[in-house]
Structures are given as structure tokens and as C-alpha cells.
Amino acid sequence: MAVLDQLEPKKVFQFFEELCQIPHGTFDTKHISDHCTAFARERGLEVLQDDANNVIIRKPGTDGYEDSEPVILQGHLDMVCEKRPESSHDFAREGLELYVEDGYVRANDTTLGGDDGIAVAMMMAILDSTDIPHPPIEAVFTTDEEVGMGGAMAIDLSVLKGRKLINIDSEEEGILTTGCAGGFRYETVIPIHREKKTGTVITLKIHGLQGGHSGIEIHKQRGNAHKMMGRLLNRIGQTIEIALAEINGGSKDNVIAMESTAEILVADKDAAAVMALAEEMKAVWDNEFMGDEPGLAVEADASADSTVDVCDKASTDRVISYLVMCPFGVQGYSRKLKGLVETSMNIGILETAAGHVKTVYLARSSVESKKQEMKELLATCAKAAGGEGKSFNEYPAWQFNPDSDLRHIMEDVYEDMFGKAPEVTTVHAGLECGLFLGKKPNLDCVSVGPDIMDVHSFNEHLGIESTARTWKYLQAVLAKCK
């Protein structure tokens, strides 16, 4: 028996539950792309599928809308795959275990993929419908949005005839998003030299942090486990000689790091002092977070005396210094839109290999010159630590369009339905509209969506009533686009 079959809107949640049973993490989108392609063919709809697994489905307008200008509906097929540390869920092989609680849809111990599966489900419900008035629809399903927007970069938009584009990738009902930050990834590689040393190996682990979306939740000042680990190692190293064996954590650059693990070697006589300092830092952080990170855990486990390969002193110092000085969090707020983050950085991935330690950042800004400044800052940090850095997967900001016809339509419909004006704003996250506008500058874009909380974390949950209202609103907007 389906878990969501009693929820309304029935078709939307039916399609969403079907999608949740298909593995569709970023870079693993072939199956869900084929599913959407088969969906279109079963209904006799025109469908295009490209080598990047992007899908475009066309549906004619309904009675009275046959000659209307097409409307483009757009969402992405991939999801962020995060799970609780103790979970054995295999995202590459298993569907999500859904459940309903307190008016929300959740997944057991994993991300839900409401970002952006609910958009795909709504688009499929429109394409499947026989009783919803609408102009011709061009439904665009992109891939690999969560890591570099690869699908949007690869897709050929010249086949689209529509000019109005409704992106369904926002996560707060009642808000019309009309602009977004641009961004880039940045990889730093710090070389390390190893030597054999004997002593006590201590495994330090920081975990239990809330994590979350590195753009829309960056202002919440949640703990980043990598920055915290750098602080802990630096604190220990001020009084105790340590040698770093390895340091790892995080799997996504667009997720605020929830866990970081380091193995260090110390003299046997210093092991107890290291354990005490770990406890001391736990108390310091509990005081600083003031209850905002209730699940925070700082563990220190010592092994028996052994001889291991560790970084030499210079390498250890370089890595720790880098983690202490590298930036994280909000770097600036908008001077035009009060309370909106303008520029931010997130160190999401930390990996140790035989000859280097690698970090991967996601940096965002709505101001192009600030993006370039962040590149310079990260390059300077890399150089100071004796490493090298490079940027990649850069994407543009989406600038607010004061003359948007689509926005005016959507504002009027919202006020008619709900008796109040929607909030019109921009968002500190990457949306594919910026890339689309680079390819088709005449597009008129607005982004909407239902309430989805704690995206990019295993606490992600989707509002049921919010989804129903957003669905009705989307139908009303399409009816107005005649």
C-alpha cells in the first residue's frame, strides 16, 4: 500500500511517491530520466531526451488555449543524498522510506528529495491531466542541478518556443523568487609529506550537527564540522605536539558539513590531555551555540601504542593553519534587500589522500565582483598554506527583472486567491534560471514552490497543505496565461 495515497492533491503525491522509489542522486539520473521519457510516450506526448539525461516534454494547450504562447515549467530530477550516520540506506539501489508526521512528508533517516521531486511531480500531474486548463506546456526536467547545474549547462534551449518560465525550485510558499545568487566551486589541494612515528593514535570526531542548505540556511549560523575541527586541532596543538594522520568529512559542497573526523598521533603521556581538551571544546561550543546545535557530539577515542604513517610537523601545521584561517559562512548582506545574504562561503568536503589534503568549497554571491573577490581570497588561503587552488562549475547570478509580465500575472493571481500580496524577493541559492537566461536572454522567469524545510539534510520535510495550496496556485497561474 502506498504511503501517500490518502494525501491531496492525489495525483501530485502519487507521482512524487513513484519518483521517491527510483534512485536519483546527482550524477545518477539515467533511471529517473528514462522514467520521465516513458511517462511521456505512454501519453502520446512529444519528448526529447539528451545525452545529459535532460528531458523536455511538450503538451498542446487545452480547449481555448491552443494558440496561446507556451509556458515553460521547469524543475530538476536529481536530489541531494544525505543520511544519518547510523543509517545503512543505499541511495544507489534503494528507494526512500516515506512517512507522514504532523502534516509533513518525511523520509526515514535520509533526505526526502522534495528538492526538487515535488516540482517534477507537479509537472507530471499537469502533463497527465485532462481537466486542467492551460496553454501549451514545455516541461523541462534538468539533471545534476545540485552539483554544478550540469544539466542546465548542457541543455539545448533553442528548441523551446515559450518565453515565460515558471521554475518550481523554491522552498517557501508565498514567495515569488525573481533572482538568485551566482556561484562557483573551489578546490584547494595542500601537499603533505609523511613519516613513520610511534605514539598513541587518537580519533577525533565532531558530529551530530544540523547541517543544511549552504545557501538558504547559511545565515542560521549552524556549525560547520570542518571549521570546528580546525579549531579543535589548533587548540590541542598550542600545548601538545601532534601529528596529523588523516582528516575527512562531508560529501557535498552545498551542504553545511555535519561531521568531520581526524586521526592524530601524540606521545603516550599526552593522550589524557587531548581527551580533556576535546571535552573542554564541547562545553565551549555548547555555550556558544546556546542550544542551536542540540545534537552536537565531540568524541575522542585512543588506541594502543603503535607506529603509523603521519604528516610531518610542517605538513600538520599547514593543514591546521588552513582550516583555522579559511573563510566560512556569511561574508556580506545585501545593501538593497534588508536581511538578504549577498555573499557566502561553505567548506563542504575535506579529504585526505596519500600526498595531499583536499577541500572543496561552494561560494555564492549576487554581486559579480564579490564572486571574484572570493576566488582571490580562497587562492590566497591556499597559497598561504603551501597549496594550490582552482575554481570550477561557475554559474551566473539571475538579476531581478523590473518589467516581468509573468511576475505581474503571478502577483495578481496570488492576491486574488489569498487576499494578500506575495513576497517578491531574490534568494541566496543557485537556481537554473541564471543559466537559462544566459542561453535565452528573452526569458521571463519566476520561481515558486511549497514549504520544504531543512533541505539537504536528513531532517528534510515537505508541507502537505502547503503543497496543496501551491498546486492550486500553479493551476490558476496557468489558466491566466491565455
Side-chain angles (χ1 to χ4, degrees), residues 267-445:
D268 296 342
K269 65 181 179 61
D270 292 325
V274 171
M275 313 286 269
L277 283 169
E279 289 184 11
E280 178 184 305
M281 282 306 303
K282 168 66 163 62
V284 168
W285 282 321
D286 284 340
N287 179 65
E288 291 177 350
F289 283 121
M290 298 182 179
D292 282 349
E293 291 288 2
L296 170 64
V298 181
E299 298 176 1
D301 296 316
S303 64
D305 182 82
S306 57
T307 300
V308 294
D309 282 329
V310 294
C311 297
D312 61 18
K313 186 177 188 312
S315 300
T316 297
D317 289 346
R318 283 199 301 270
V319 173
I320 295 174
S321 295
Y322 176 84
L323 290 175
V324 170
M325 68 182 171
C326 69
F328 165 71
V330 176
Q331 304 295 299
Y333 284 89
S334 171
R335 298 180 186 276
K336 292 184 177 180
L337 298 172
K338 186 177 181 180
L340 181 71
V341 177
E342 171 204 85
T343 304
S344 74
M345 295 193 188
N346 179 62
I347 176 172
I349 300 173
L350 188 54
E351 296 176 348
T352 302
H356 67 263
V357 170
K358 181 177 77 174
T359 68
V360 184
Y361 263 87
L362 178 53
R364 309 174 191 263
S365 184
S366 55
V367 178
E368 182 62 28
S369 60
K370 298 298 287 187
K371 278 174 57 182
Q372 301 310 313
E373 182 190 22
M374 286 191 293
K375 287 183 187 177
E376 295 169 7
L377 175 56
L378 289 170
T380 301
C381 288
K383 183 178 180 180
E388 296 182 346
K390 64 178 180 179
S391 63
F392 59 102
N393 283 151
E394 185 166 358
Y395 55 91
W398 163 25
Q399 299 294 329
F400 174 78
N401 176 11
D403 301 317
S404 167
D405 293 332
L406 178 59
R407 188 186 76 249
H408 292 315
I409 291 171
M410 296 180 74
E411 286 177 317
D412 291 344
V413 170
Y414 191 93
E415 193 156 2
D416 288 344
M417 288 185 68
F418 302 109
K420 59 181 180 180
E423 181 180 347
V424 177
T425 188
T426 62
V427 65
H428 190 67
L431 292 172
E432 291 156 300
C433 296
L435 283 169
F436 290 167
L437 283 161
K439 297 183 178 189
K440 289 181 74 73
N442 68 330
L443 285 178
D444 185 359
C445 307

Side-chain angles (χ1 to χ4, degrees), residues 36 40 45-47 55-59 127 137-139 141:
C36 292
L45 301 174
E46 180 184 351
V47 59
V55 176
I56 297 175
I57 302 174
R58 288 196 177 94
K59 181 184 180 185
L127 294 169
I137 297 295
E138 296 177 315
F141 305 85

